[in-house]
Amino acid sequence: MTNYEIEMELDKASKALSKETQSINLSYWNAGSEYKAQLKDILKYESVQDIFDYQYYLPESIKKNIATKLGFSSEDFYESQGFAFSQSTHSIVTIAVFLSQRNLKTGIIAPAYFTAQTCLDDLKVDYHVFNEFIPDFNQNFDIGPLINSDCEAFWFTSPINSTSVYFNQNVINGIQELLDAGKWVILDEALCVNGKELSRTLGIQKKLIYIYSPHKALGIQGIKFSIIVTHKKFTDEIDRLKDCYGGSLNYLSELGARHFISQNYDECLRFYNQFWSDNYKRVHQILANYHFAHVSPDISGHYAMIFLDGCIGTENFIFAIKKIIKEKGYLIFPGIMHGFDISKQFCFRINLLLNKTDLEKGLISVLDYMGKFIENA
């Protein structure tokens, strides 16, 4: 089954509940009401953009501040060019066109955000998915298969997709080895928590492309913006693509950019880190009661992947979750929807920005049922 078919099956089961019962998706991308309400009391922003005229670029006066906050040095800033978009999807599409026009065979390092592969498919870009390293990506990563392949560009997602786990030094060294070998590297850091960017380690290099969207990590979707950062050598080329595939910036994009460089963003970030950390501690306490369930101890962010000791086929999973939805009102999305091969080890994502009670009760309900399912498999 495709990811869309899985999502529609679960959505249909959720809608079949009575009007008095509302299903709660532990894997959902939106934050819970408690987080939203508390962050709303902290969040402050303002903008000076004209709401009538087209605006294609962020004001020059804030570009260096954005680069600095993303971790680029002053020297890097003068060697780079930033291209602003209203969201990271537009950035991904633009880079996919860039790869297509250069006819670059691309290696997608799984797990990756699904849009990248979809765009490469639609643009007829030749690619290969490297999925040999998951679920223990950092421990299993070996640069050899990438270096020895016929791929000319490589697409990484940092943090590791839907896990909030960041690359260890071995992976970072491998990325540098690819660059030293003359390969292109795309670093999709759209969900990176500010302060954890690979720009702080790898800086600006001629064939290195970054994607950022700083508000995604905070669970703020309404005032977000995205930015592609490359070597200044490619300014004209990507600027032309941005005009075609990204278009102008909306009012909220500039508002988000100005907010990102403000102290209020840092205040929001501190609250965000405290909120997901508190929920993460509770998740650890819950998992201590389930010997077959595990989560990485090294996360920094609001998504966490729960791994189970065992394999569950997609159809069996859907059967199980439909039953949980009907009896308890909770559902999850399987790891296959986030780039993981669940035929090797079953996993599912949880959102640590959900309401604490929803997360606790939901996770316990899912694990209670999955435990029986694994034992009987």
Side-chain angles (χ1 to χ4, degrees), residues 3 104-121 125-134 137 141-142 145-147 149-157 161 335-336 338-342 344:
N3 291 348
L104 296 172
K105 181 173 181 179
T106 302
I108 299 177
I109 319 305
Y113 186 55
F114 77 97
T115 304
Q117 187 169 341
T118 301
C119 288
L120 296 185
D121 272 328
V125 176
D126 189 14
Y127 67 85
H128 174 76
V129 178
F130 292 86
N131 58 7
E132 299 84 4
F133 311 127
I134 53 180
F137 187 97
F141 184 77
D142 178 7
L146 279 63
I147 284 285
S149 74
D150 60 350
C151 294
E152 302 163 274
F154 296 90
W155 194 298
F156 290 83
T157 305
N161 194 39
I336 192 174
H338 311 295
F340 287 80
D341 184 355
I342 60 173
K344 296 179 180 178

Side-chain angles (χ1 to χ4, degrees), residues 64-134:
K64 187 171 184 180
N65 291 335
I66 291 174
T68 299
K69 198 152 190 176
L70 287 173
F72 293 101
S73 66
S74 295
E75 182 180 345
D76 282 335
F77 172 72
Y78 291 112
E79 289 297 312
S80 70
Q81 183 63 47
F83 306 89
F85 296 79
S86 59
Q87 55 182 300
S88 54
T89 302
H90 290 168
S91 296
I92 291 172
V93 172
T94 301
I95 294 174
V97 176
F98 179 84
L99 296 172
S100 174
Q101 292 187 348
R102 287 175 168 264
N103 197 28
L104 296 172
K105 181 173 181 179
T106 302
I108 299 177
I109 319 305
Y113 186 55
F114 77 97
T115 304
Q117 187 169 341
T118 301
C119 288
L120 296 185
D121 272 328
D122 290 345
L123 290 163
K124 304 297 187 292
V125 176
D126 189 14
Y127 67 85
H128 174 76
V129 178
F130 292 86
N131 58 7
E132 299 84 4
F133 311 127
I134 53 180

